[in-house]
Amino acid sequence: MQKKTYTGQPVVTLNNGVDIPALGFGVWQMDDLKECENAVIKAIQTGYRMIDTAAIYQNETAVGAAVKNSGVDREALFITSKVWVQDHGYKKAKSAFQRTLDRLQMDYLDMYLIHWPYGDFLGTWKALEELYQEGKIKAIGVCNFTIEKLEELKADSTILPVINQIELHPVFQQKELQVYDRDNNIVTEPWSPLGNGNAGLLSNHDLKSIAGKYGKTVAQVILRWHLQEGFVVIPKSVTPSRIEENFNVFDFELTEEEMNVVRSLDTGKRLFFDPKDPEWEQKMLKSVADI
């Protein structure tokens, strides 16, 4: 397949040579399927070309419908989904992937990720490697993998993940994992890049001062920081004006001093789930969803 181009926006080149738009659109927690479909259509019409969903979000059908109704060709878009823990293992992952394609009404994915590093994720990775080699997936990667889990995967695989999608925002920056990803040619992709609307972050005096200088919002400054760090970033919103605002970050650039202001906000404390938490791991291994 010919290499895709995404006019008018920056891309990040993955370790297999595939380009991914640096700014995408996430649909986590969009439970209302019509609202999700409308949000994705709005995002695509705004200019987003990368959409990130997952089997466990239970909105792949809405994403697929939005792509069909967006007025933009499927070939011009970069679509990502993820395999859930209950479908880990070689055979189950193959079946889960086909169900994802069926729900999306597509015959290939641009990227498919392992959602959490639990259970037989090594068997799952072998399934993803084969699907990649067959051309059904253009790039394969992981989410929420620690350095230890990435080392385990690397020792038992022939293809390196292109991306590690992790919780990362100004108050939790995972700097050691950032360095590991970079050293291993894995792109870091923050989820919840705005800190899930963290009140202290969005009202931070220094960030408001930077935003005022450029005539931007604090959220736009944070997204710009992510982009300049070399990350692929996937903000989400169902509000049309916010969808547009989050995309309007290509017409200014932070100075190194301003970048350091954002870097200095790191507290080292998560807002969400810790992949190393044994209770969370057991909860995930026992989770069952109709996917």
Side-chain angles (χ1 to χ4, degrees), residues 118 273-283:
Y118 304 140
F273 331 102
D274 185 351
K276 294 183 179 180
D277 181 350
E279 290 187 13
W280 175 249
E281 180 173 357
Q282 287 306 308
K283 181 180 179 181

Side-chain angles (χ1 to χ4, degrees), residues 55 82-101 103 112-114 118-128 130-131 137 284-289 291:
K82 313 175 190 80
V83 58
W84 189 242
V85 176
Q86 73 184 37
D87 290 316
H88 279 188
Y90 176 81
K91 289 185 177 179
K92 289 201 290 184
K94 286 277 188 89
S95 297
F97 173 73
Q98 187 57 52
R99 292 198 301 276
T100 279
L101 284 188
R103 287 189 291 264
Y112 198 43
L113 309 176
I114 294 179
Y118 304 140
D120 184 16
F121 67 85
L122 295 178
T124 302
W125 190 252
K126 290 192 184 304
L128 267 59
E130 286 189 10
L131 291 164
I137 310 169
M284 289 297 94
L285 288 172
K286 292 176 182 176
S287 67
V288 178
I291 54 175

Side-chain angles (χ1 to χ4, degrees), residues 11 20 37 43 46 52-53 58 70 81-82 101 113 152-153 155-156 159 164 173 179 184 201 219 221 245 248-249 283:
V11 299
I20 180 173
E37 180 182 344
T46 298
D52 178 280
T53 184
Q58 298 187 315
S70 68
S81 194
K82 313 175 190 80
L101 284 188
L113 309 176
E152 188 177 345
L153 183 67
D156 193 68
I159 299 174
N164 187 16
Q173 297 181 26
V179 171
N184 286 273
L201 179 62
V221 168
E245 175 189 312
N248 186 22
V249 292
K283 181 180 179 181

Side-chain angles (χ1 to χ4, degrees), residues 14 20 24 33 74 129 134 192 230 244 256 261 267-268 280 291:
L14 304 172
I20 180 173
L33 296 186
R74 162 70 182 97
E129 287 182 326
E134 292 167 4
S192 199
E244 291 180 358
E256 187 64 17
V261 168
T267 65
W280 175 249
I291 54 175

Side-chain angles (χ1 to χ4, degrees), residues 63-228:
V63 171
V67 169
K68 282 188 173 296
N69 296 323
S70 68
V72 174
D73 289 344
R74 162 70 182 97
E75 292 301 316
L77 301 171
F78 191 105
I79 308 298
T80 298
S81 194
K82 313 175 190 80
V83 58
W84 189 242
V85 176
Q86 73 184 37
D87 290 316
H88 279 188
Y90 176 81
K91 289 185 177 179
K92 289 201 290 184
K94 286 277 188 89
S95 297
F97 173 73
Q98 187 57 52
R99 292 198 301 276
T100 279
L101 284 188
D102 292 345
R103 287 189 291 264
L104 287 165
Q105 301 181 67
M106 297 175 186
D107 56 11
Y108 76 97
L109 276 183
D110 294 281
M111 190 162 68
Y112 198 43
L113 309 176
I114 294 179
H115 211 148
W116 287 92
Y118 304 140
D120 184 16
F121 67 85
L122 295 178
T124 302
W125 190 252
K126 290 192 184 304
L128 267 59
E129 287 182 326
E130 286 189 10
L131 291 164
Y132 170 74
Q133 289 162 344
E134 292 167 4
K136 294 179 180 177
I137 310 169
K138 304 309 172 188
I140 56 176
V142 297
C143 304
N144 304 302
F145 270 55
T146 61
I147 292 173
E148 294 78 13
K149 293 296 186 181
L150 286 166
E151 282 290 298
E152 188 177 345
L153 183 67
K154 190 164 69 169
D156 193 68
S157 61
T158 58
I159 299 174
L160 193 68
V162 297
I163 259 177
N164 187 16
Q165 188 182 118
I166 56 174
E167 179 185 350
L168 196 157
H169 38 75
V171 295
F172 184 66
Q173 297 181 26
Q174 302 219 60
K175 290 175 181 175
E176 184 181 4
L177 186 49
Q178 281 188 47
V179 171
Y180 178 92
D181 285 350
R182 196 174 299 117
D183 287 348
N184 286 273
N185 204 17
I186 299 169
V187 172
T188 298
E189 181 178 17
W191 57 260
S192 199
L194 300 174
N196 203 38
N198 180 283
L201 179 62
L202 295 179
S203 63
N204 178 276
H205 174 76
D206 292 332
L207 295 185
K208 288 174 75 173
S209 177
I210 295 170
K213 171 184 171 182
Y214 295 106
K216 296 292 183 179
T217 65
V218 169
Q220 288 172 315
V221 168
I222 293 171
L223 292 173
R224 184 70 212 180
W225 172 78
H226 282 290
L227 293 171
Q228 288 182 219

